[in-house]
Amino acid sequence: MRLPRPRRSAAVVAAAAGLVWAVQPALAHVGSLGTAVQNPQVPSWLMVLTGGGIVGVSFLFTSFVTDHEIIRRINRRGLALPAPATVRTAARWTVRLVAVAVLALIVVTGLVGPQSATANFAILVVWAGWWAGYTISVYAVGNTWPALNPWRTVAELLPRIDDATYPERFGSWPSVVGLLGLVWLEVVSPVAENARLLVGFVLLYTVVTLTGASVYGAGTWFERVDPIARVFRWYGRAAPVQFGREGVSLTLPGTALVEGTEPRGEGEAAFVVALLWATTYDGLVSTPAWTTLADAVVGTGVPALLVYLVAMAVGFVVFLWVYRRAAAWSRRTADSYVSASFVRRWFVPALIPIAVGYHVAHFLGYFLTLSPALAAVAAAPFAPPANLQALVLPDWFGTLQLAFVVLGHLLAVWLSHALAFEVFPGRLQPIRSQYPFVFAMVFYTMISLWIVSQPFTEPPYV
Amino acid sequence: MTETPTPETTVPDGETPRARCPYCDRPFGREALCDLHVGEIHADVCTDAEREAYAEADEQEVDDLFFYHMKVVVVIGVSYALFVLVYMAVLGAT
């Protein structure tokens, strides 16, 4: 879902904050991944090729770790933490009440607070605080959303209006459509700048969510349908802190993704691919190549919104097709009778670190840039100080962001390797099963790096 | 992973698997893969003969893996050399 345009919004804040515009050339690139490739010596095609090369070669290195026990031991390193039940219950209710209060404050300040995007509590809390900062905490620390989710708190207090059982044949597909729909709405509407529109979306989401939860039950709704809860659940599995039935445990980042063998439906693979594509799409529409393409297509009389919608759908189908081809091909390179459908569902958790790497690359800088303004506005939601500050990030930050994209893929290669050793016998068969997935991951890396190396261009017609 | 799952399998039409696991009926394209599977997954219930077959298949795997790793080392070396050359060419030209 989300996705405000971080680079544009950061520039808006800097301008509104009244920062000295004499330093504009430096500021214009703040939080922009473009800076990392302004280095005149290394051309962007070489940077993209290098990223792909690093991911490909990392696969070759993983081929040296072929002992089942060692792979399991690495992924199972962890620590159980004690958490007394009374402390947990008290903490849970405190955070739940605070979360519901913050949601109410978002609605009120969105409607009656200062309407300037950079001084509005609702805009800053939703985009910088929640979608950037909080999401980072979910994969960097742990998934606290089930405890925090204000809609869940409210839904659990409301009576069921129906006790319909969720139709199994829908699987995860409604949440796939919901996720892609949310991102499309964010891209084509000014919801990242217009506080009243944002409140409108929040209220619409509230109505849909509460209705759904009271028809199918809160548990089913937030587990199977709600795209936001599902995004956080997947991101949370990459986190070092895991909240399980047996309590809290500490693991190596990402390794919880290979734990648990619960059967996953076909839609689950599609959901993770949709998450990957959604972040890519947001970056893609702000490249010069997209502007050229959109100009050409809209010039022939096609409505702009339709162009954005079709691009969203086509890109998703291409990403899903690449993944499905990789799974079907893996069956052959591994010389195995394991069904392609099983392979697709089995390897899907390995894609999560890629989505995480891409999210952190886009949003860490955005969050840090806006954090002083966020803190100031959170302290006084109805009367924010007139002179809001923005943090100026150092030049090397862009390189760090590129490193996150590559690191996400490296972790994905390792997890995929570990998953392969769980399902194919011997040592060579699991390694050979990975060839197609390595190609798919190199493809994803190069697309991501190409997008972030492009100069930011305002998405046209929206 | 708490335990290794039994994956769904599909055998293409007109093809007969060379081997099937006697415990979980999973089909395999080669005897050796079946022996490895039995030794890894059903180690607690398998017979002495199957254990021996596993040891043999595993030894063969270790040998094959050695040659495989030789090739991997060559590919890593070549990739490294190619990247160094490309960087030298690009950086030298500017």
Side-chain angles (χ1 to χ4, degrees), chain A residues 266-324:
Chain A
E266 198 64 64
E268 205 60 33
F271 184 78
V272 174
V273 173
L275 181 58
L276 205 60
W277 163 242
T279 341
T280 312
Y281 175 76
D282 196 49
L284 185 71
V285 295
S286 35
T287 59
W290 169 257
T291 303
T292 312
L293 181 74
D295 279 344
V297 179
V298 173
T300 64
V302 183
L305 289 188
L306 186 67
V307 175
Y308 276 83
L309 192 64
V310 168
M312 167 65 96
V314 168
F316 171 65
V317 169
V318 168
F319 264 47
L320 192 61
W321 180 81
V322 168
Y323 183 70
R324 289 175 70 109

Side-chain angles (χ1 to χ4, degrees), chain A residues 123-140:
Chain A
I123 295 274
L124 283 173
V125 168
V126 168
W127 297 123
W130 177 74
W131 183 243
Y134 177 74
T135 306
I136 290 173
S137 87
V138 168
Y139 52 71

